[in-house]
Structures are given as structure tokens and as C-alpha cells.
Amino acid sequence: MEGRPIRTRGVVFRGPATRPRIEELTLDPPQRGEVRVRMAAAGVCHSDLHVVDGEWERPTDLVMGHEGAGWVEEIGEGVSDLAPGDLVVLAWTAPCGTCKSCQRGEPWLCARPDGSGHRLASELVRLRRHNGQSIGAYSGIGTFGERQVVAASAAIKIDPGTPPEIAALIGCAVTTGIGAVRNTANVQAGESVVVIGAGGVGLSAVIGAIAVGANPVTAVDTSEAKLLLATLVGAHRTLLTSEADQVAGADHVLECIGLVETVELAIELVRPGGTVTLVGMTPQGQRASFDVYRFVEDGKTIRGSNYGSADPARDFPAIAKAYLDGRLPLDLLVSQRIGLDELDGAFDAMRRGAGARRVIVY
């Protein structure tokens, strides 16, 4: 079937007022610098829910999903570092290597990532409805599809012994949380860390903080069940949000939810001279406020962490190796394995704040 269009299925976003639905689609073969991937697993992330609920503006007629892993099935011309059968994690920012951000060593801020614009530009469209209408791929990878054609630079080869569900989460939640600790905040051994939010990203941040030797590491959430998960992944202490003032004076506070009130709480909790790292994403257009005089007087720092300030080609394989070596308890992040047709239920559970990550297993 090499070089020929194939049939596939994917969950297509048709607008925030319309329920996404599974559609039968046609997928063209990979072109130069591209690979076709058969999806193994895809995580359901809160960013997907922001789109479905209309909190983030995105184009319609996209196969959704941006956290996933799979096996290379076919390679396009010019691809030499990947081969059919390779297990790859898909990166929703595949740095171009040439823009100013990439040249500065900040690939997570790439201005022109490969496969950008959700692959809606005519020269990048590989998915179509049977009537010929173009369909895009969210963030260039559309992991809620059974198969995808992606830029080869977005397909990062990792150890084939990595379970697909874990590989999928490395594509977003795990790298975002661990990277926020290691890369953005540069947390050091012995420093105190507070993580606000114990979902997939927050739990990954707890795991990352424990791994670098931070002490104590405290998780804060409104859910007792999520705080139990935080304890299981290694948090030294857990607190309900209403009790968070008990940990005022932390060296680092990482906000991993994306709520204005917890952003403001993070600024209050960090010590003078400490660092607040904002990891969670609010709905577009929201603003937080703080006492500017007090903030300056205390010499605090706020940093934004996009994708854990990660270089996927470097960080994905390293995280997979650390997991396989038994140094990162990532299995605890998987709350439930589901099928593609159970996505609506996963979104509902996320709205209720239930569990860490639900993973579609193909």
C-alpha cells in the first residue's frame, strides 16, 4: 500500500457548539520529509477540552488530539533517521531549526514549526473526507486519528520497550510537567517545591521535582482522590487548596491548572526571591492580578513554561529511558484506558476533575 492513499478514522472538530464525531477519512501518502504513523495511544489532555468547550479559538475540520505515540508505517523521500516499525512519540511543536527562537536554543518557542497551522495549508493537507474536502491535523499531529502523516521532525524515536500509553503521555503531559521543573524553573536538590494542581501535568511536575531531589515537595488540589495520587507518585505532603497557606514561603511554586485564582495563589505562596512557574493554560483572554509593590519589594520571579521548555528530540528519549530504568513512576498517571468512541466520557470526567489522564488505546 506504499505510495497510495489509505482509509482511516479520526475524531473531527466541527466547532465548539457541535459534538466532535468519528469520521471515515482518506489519508494521502507521506511526501518528502514526512512519515506515516499508525497510532498506538493518545492521551486526552485539558487543552483538547479547552478547544471543545470553545475556550480556545481553533479552526474547524481538524482531527483533534495532540498527545500521542505510534509506529512508523511508511517514510517519505529524504527521511533517513526513521524506519517502518520504529516507536515514535509525536511532538506538537516540531522545531524548524532556523527561526530566531531555534537559533537561540529555545525550540519550544519555534515560530515556524514543521507541519504548523494544523496542516491546513494546501501543500500540507494529507487528510480528506471522501468528497475531497480537506481536513487538518491539530497541532500538526492529530492524535485522535488511527493514522496520520506528520513531519518526520515531529516523530521522535524512543526505546521500543516503552509501553505505548506511557509513550503517548511523554508527548505532552509528562514532558510539560517534568520540563517545567527541570528546564524552566531549574529546581535544585534541597529546594522546596509546591505544585498546585494534581492532574496529569501537575503529577508529572511532582514526579520531576522528586527526581531532582527537591525537598519538601507539596501537592495542592481540591480533590482528595488526586492528592492520594500525588502521594503515590512521591509527594512528601498534600494539602487541599483551602489549606495552602500552610506552605507559604516555598522556593518554587508551579501552577499546573490554569485558573486565575490559583495563579494569584501561587504568587502569594512563593517566598521573597522565589520563583513562580506558570504551567497551566487558562481560557484565552483571562488576566490575573497581584500587588505590584509587594511583588517588586519581595524580588519574586514569574516564568511561563511552554511545553516544559523542552527540546523533544533531546527530552523524549531521555524521559523514556528514565522511566524504563525505574526512576519515574509514570504508570500511575494513567487513570483509564479507553477506546476512540469513549472520548465524550473522557471529556465529561475531565470537566468533573476526575482522575489524572485517560488514554485512548488503538
Side-chain angles (χ1 to χ4, degrees):
M1 299 183 65
E2 288 191 13
R4 299 173 56 188
I6 63 171
R7 292 188 174 183
T8 188
R9 298 191 312 153
V11 176
V12 177
F13 174 64
R14 298 176 296 149
T18 308
R19 174 177 166 271
R21 69 182 182 193
I22 299 174
E23 295 190 29
E24 301 283 340
L25 302 167
T26 298
L27 181 65
D28 290 341
Q31 301 302 303
R32 183 175 185 82
E34 297 177 339
V35 297
R36 190 179 80 215
V37 175
R38 176 168 63 89
M39 215 64 67
V44 184
C45 177
H46 206 280
S47 296
D48 303 310
L49 185 62
H50 279 309
V51 175
V52 169
D53 287 350
E55 295 174 341
W56 292 0
E57 291 185 12
R58 294 294 186 269
T60 57
D61 295 320
L62 303 173
V63 170
M64 298 188 64
H66 66 281
E67 182 178 76
W71 296 281
V72 174
E73 281 193 324
E74 184 180 351
I75 62 173
E77 184 182 351
V79 177
S80 59
D81 56 347
L82 292 171
D86 285 344
L87 177 63
V88 293
V89 177
L90 300 185
W92 52 259
T93 290
C96 69
T98 60
C99 71
K100 290 183 178 179
S101 294
C102 287
Q103 291 297 304
R104 284 196 304 266
E106 299 173 338
W108 57 92
L109 299 177
C110 178
R112 299 184 300 272
D114 296 337
S116 61
H118 308 293
R119 299 190 71 94
L120 284 168
S122 58
E123 68 274 14
L124 294 178
V125 171
R126 301 290 176 264
L127 280 168
R128 292 177 174 81
R129 289 191 170 105
H130 296 324
N131 63 5
Q133 180 186 358
S134 299
I135 296 293
Y138 188 76
S139 292
I141 56 176
T143 59
F144 294 170
E146 294 174 335
R147 285 175 167 83
Q148 279 292 0
V149 167
V150 304
S153 56
I156 311 300
K157 183 178 177 180
I158 64 167
D159 190 307
T162 311
E165 301 97 311
I166 302 303
L169 297 188
I170 290 172
C172 185
V174 169
T175 296
T176 298
I178 291 178
V181 170
R182 294 180 176 176
N183 302 329
T184 314
N186 191 27
V187 174
Q188 300 297 304
E191 292 186 317
S192 57
V193 172
V194 174
V195 177
I196 302 176
V201 172
L203 291 171
S204 297
V206 170
I207 290 170
I210 294 295
V212 302
N215 194 340
V217 176
T218 303
V220 176
D221 203 286
T222 58
S223 165
E224 295 277 10
K226 286 186 176 181
L227 292 178
L228 174 58
L229 279 174
T231 299
L232 292 175
V233 302
H236 301 120
R237 187 180 185 186
T238 62
L239 293 171
L240 293 170
T241 307
S242 59
E243 305 168 325
D245 59 352
Q246 296 180 33
V247 284
D251 296 315
H252 293 272
V253 180
L254 290 89
E255 199 281 347
C256 296
I257 302 175
L259 296 173
V260 169
E261 53 266 38
T262 45
V263 168
E264 295 172 350
L265 174 64
I267 295 169
E268 291 297 320
L269 292 181
V270 77
R271 67 165 173 81
T275 299
V276 172
T277 302
L278 302 183
V279 187
M281 300 286 281
T282 68
Q284 289 174 315
Q286 292 193 349
R287 295 176 179 270
S289 63
F290 55 90
D291 183 332
V292 177
Y293 175 88
R294 187 76 263 158
F295 183 87
V296 175
E297 180 78 4
D298 287 345
K300 297 178 179 181
T301 298
I302 301 175
R303 302 203 65 181
S305 183
N306 179 21
Y307 214 169
S309 304
D311 179 348
R314 175 197 68 199
D315 293 339
F316 288 4
I319 292 172
K321 183 178 186 304
Y323 164 79
L324 291 171
D325 289 345
R327 291 183 280 127
L328 301 174
L330 302 181
D331 296 283
L332 293 167
L333 301 181
V334 181
S335 298
Q336 186 181 8
R337 292 162 176 81
I338 63 172
L340 191 62
D341 58 353
E342 297 175 274
L343 184 58
D344 282 345
F347 283 145
D348 287 340
M350 193 175 295
R351 292 184 183 101
R352 297 193 306 271
R357 263 299 194 270
R358 282 156 183 83
V359 180
I360 298 165
V361 178
Y362 290 95

